[in-house]
Amino acid sequence: MPVQRLHPALFKAVALSAVMLLAGCEIPGIWPDPRIAQREEESKAIGGACRHALRGLEDCYTLNPKASKAAVFAGWKEMDAYMRENKIEGAPSVIEKAEAKPEKKSASAEGKGSSKQGG
């Protein structure tokens, strides 16, 4: 029995319609996740900010443990080159330690203490 082939015009029409249908689809896993790209850009910005604040890379890594080290380094290096080209001085960051707030006594502790003092 001889094998019948599709007419070339019909084959082209089927192929074209398949391509057009799939072009409108967003198939999961084909394109990179935008959240990953956003995290990389944020890490790069952190690196640039650390360089502008005159922080070392190690300090920057310590202060931002969730940031990608490679992206932080890339941002730091990029900002370093930019600052050298434009003769920009860094602005040292000043981190103030938060003062320890006095602990508030609970209502039950205050009630017990006042009954002993009153009597």
Side-chain angles (χ1 to χ4, degrees), residues 51 76 78-88:
R51 173 58 185 100
W76 194 94
E78 186 178 304
M79 179 59 89
D80 184 56
Y82 177 79
M83 289 174 71
R84 289 177 190 267
E85 283 176 15
N86 297 303
K87 298 178 184 174
I88 297 173

Side-chain angles (χ1 to χ4, degrees), residues 40-53 55 57 60-61 69-88:
E40 290 296 316
E41 290 300 317
E42 285 175 359
S43 297
K44 214 171 160 187
I46 288 170
C50 284
R51 173 58 185 100
H52 189 264
R55 282 200 190 110
L57 277 172
C60 197
Y61 295 152
K69 288 185 179 184
V72 168
F73 176 71
W76 194 94
K77 187 176 174 183
E78 186 178 304
M79 179 59 89
D80 184 56
Y82 177 79
M83 289 174 71
R84 289 177 190 267
E85 283 176 15
N86 297 303
K87 298 178 184 174
I88 297 173

Side-chain angles (χ1 to χ4, degrees), residues 88-99:
I88 297 173
E89 295 295 323
S93 65
V94 179
I95 300 175
E96 297 178 11
K97 292 184 180 178
E99 294 180 17

Side-chain angles (χ1 to χ4, degrees), residues 2-110:
V3 177
Q4 293 182 349
R5 295 188 179 190
L6 290 176
H7 191 271
L10 181 61
F11 179 74
K12 287 179 184 178
V14 169
L16 182 63
S17 63
V19 169
M20 294 300 282
L21 285 172
L22 290 176
C25 294
E26 290 188 20
I27 301 171
I30 290 182
W31 304 109
D33 189 4
R35 291 176 290 183
I36 294 171
Q38 182 181 7
R39 268 188 244 130
E40 290 296 316
E41 290 300 317
E42 285 175 359
S43 297
K44 214 171 160 187
I46 288 170
C50 284
R51 173 58 185 100
H52 189 264
L54 300 175
R55 282 200 190 110
L57 277 172
E58 293 79 16
D59 295 338
C60 197
Y61 295 152
T62 303
L63 292 170
N64 303 288
K66 292 184 180 179
S68 164
K69 288 185 179 184
V72 168
F73 176 71
W76 194 94
K77 187 176 174 183
E78 186 178 304
M79 179 59 89
D80 184 56
Y82 177 79
M83 289 174 71
R84 289 177 190 267
E85 283 176 15
N86 297 303
K87 298 178 184 174
I88 297 173
E89 295 295 323
S93 65
V94 179
I95 300 175
E96 297 178 11
K97 292 184 180 178
E99 294 180 17
K101 295 181 181 179
E103 294 181 24
K104 294 181 180 180
K105 294 180 182 178
S106 65
S108 61
E110 288 178 4

